[in-house]
Amino acid sequence: MLDNLAGLLLMVALLAGFGLPASFSVSHMVPGTALGVMLGDLAFFVLALRFAKRVGRTDVTAMPLGLDTPSTFGMTLLVLGPAFMAARRDGMDVEAACMQTWHIGIWCSIFSGAVKLTLAPFGQLVRRIVPRAGLLGSLAAVALVLISFFPLTHILGSPLPGMLAMVIVLGTLIGHVELPGRTPGTLGALIVAGLAYYIMCGLGIVGYEFPAYEPIRWFPTEWLGSYSFRWFDAFPHALPYLPFVLPFALTTVVGGIDCTESAASAGDEYDTRAIIGIEAIATLIAGLSGGVIQTTPYIGHPAYKAMGGRAAYTLATALLIGTAGVVGYFSWLNAWIPAPVVYPILVFVGLEITSQTFLATPKRHYAAVAIACLPALAYLAMSLPNRIFGDGLMLSQSVTAVDLEGGALRDDLQTLRMLSNGFIVTGLLWAWMLASLIDKKLNVAAGVLFLAAGLTFFGIMHSPIAGNRIFIPFLAGEGSSLWLPDASVPEVMEYVAGYGITGLFVLVWQFVTPKPA
């Protein structure tokens, strides 16, 4: 419950950092997102009861389901935030920009759900084709660089309660040091660090103050506007962002397989297709209801089973998260739960995903996992310049990176932009290529390089345009949303040629490499 709650709090806070009002997020985006969690957990609750009845056991544990944490960061930082800023740069007022951003998020959720529903019967095939270093390496990049790092600015912005909460969470969940009364670590951090936070508010410490009174808007209705299907017209605006969504959808399909296998190892054998299908439908319903973050089965079934969890914990999660969003008291939770107290949960999630990636990947592929993180580091390096040039003062003066006087700095920023745009796809393909080279599958590595050339040609990766806009070179004219500016054509084509010629080299390399005796 706290993990899902932290994800919703994070989504609202990150979007507020881009200038999107929290009131809009709470009334339009949160209810549908929470509804997806509620329906998915209710379905898993019923699935566990039916399975227990069929096998005649009382110790069956339900599969856990909730918001996909990597997607929470990916959607807010790579899709929703940039989409809002792009709309503002195009001259939209705040309300219109919010609506367009919301509609783009709806399209992304529906696309994610459709991909997962389509791949549900073929999850094992995807898993066989793409090595774990590729699928999990790009996920580890998001986990380490985004999920674990970005919350630190909030945690250490209030260092006393933040460090207290982080040590409690990491000590209990990673160090397995028990709190008195076997209190769960996340709950213990919420109580202890939350108490410290509000004591500091009471003492009048600079930077700490009680939140303003936040009246609860019972049963918000704005999210019901998603059923009018006015978001349908936003597809051209959503199209450039769909490449970001695809890797997250693929990862949850493979993650669903892993979670099902993990549950089977603990004695609860669920049908993999049913698990992936249920969470795909939950994501689709969430998107159609205005939700902007996909759901996913959670790793950790054996741990929940060892703690005595059966089916009711998924029911409790469904009721709390679902009613918080739909009934409307999430706005109160958003105001009164201090961010530094719950964000350490995300640091734990990021560290756990990263460590599990290495545990699940063959040792010989560790370097492939590491190379998947490099494009994500470029995104991290660009995050501050993007915020600077997206500041209201810079926008009002029409100042962009192109206006910089330092030629080397301007060129470095453009290189970082091209490396960071589509970094999830780039990391996946780089890791896939390196894992293939390590396994001496040079023909596969060459194929991956050719695929990278094709994706770069359309801007799905290495787009030189702010906002990672995709394009169709030479065919789409100026004024089209798919237009590639003439000044950017040479640098894009050099990337395409780089991948293509390197792929040809690797193909030739395969035939001239001495064969083992």
Side-chain angles (χ1 to χ4, degrees), residues 193-209:
L195 182 62
Y197 182 91
Y198 281 113
I199 287 176
M200 296 179 75
C201 291
L203 294 175
I205 304 297
V206 176
Y208 295 84
E209 55 185 33

Side-chain angles (χ1 to χ4, degrees), residues 6-20 25 29-30 33 67-85 101 104-105 108-109 142 146-147 150-151 154 241 244-245 248 291-294 343 346 379 387 423-424:
L8 290 174
L9 294 171
L10 179 74
M11 181 188 78
V12 174
L14 289 177
L15 290 177
F18 284 99
L20 199 152
S25 300
M29 299 178 178
V30 168
T33 304
L67 294 181
D68 181 41
T69 305
S71 297
T72 303
F73 277 88
M75 280 295 297
T76 52
L77 296 177
L78 307 177
V79 176
L80 300 175
F84 177 78
M85 294 179 66
T101 301
I104 289 172
C108 289
S109 290
V142 173
L146 301 186
I147 298 177
F150 275 103
H154 295 276
Y241 299 101
F244 284 115
V245 180
F248 290 116
V292 295
I293 308 293
Q294 70 172 347
Y343 282 2
L346 300 172
Y379 175 82
R387 289 178 62 186
F423 74 88
I424 298 173

Side-chain angles (χ1 to χ4, degrees), residues 229-243:
F229 296 100
R230 279 177 289 187
W231 47 267
F232 198 83
D233 295 334
F235 181 74
H237 301 288
L239 185 61
Y241 299 101
L242 297 184

Side-chain angles (χ1 to χ4, degrees), residues 8 259 355 447 488:
L8 290 174
C259 290
S355 62
S488 299

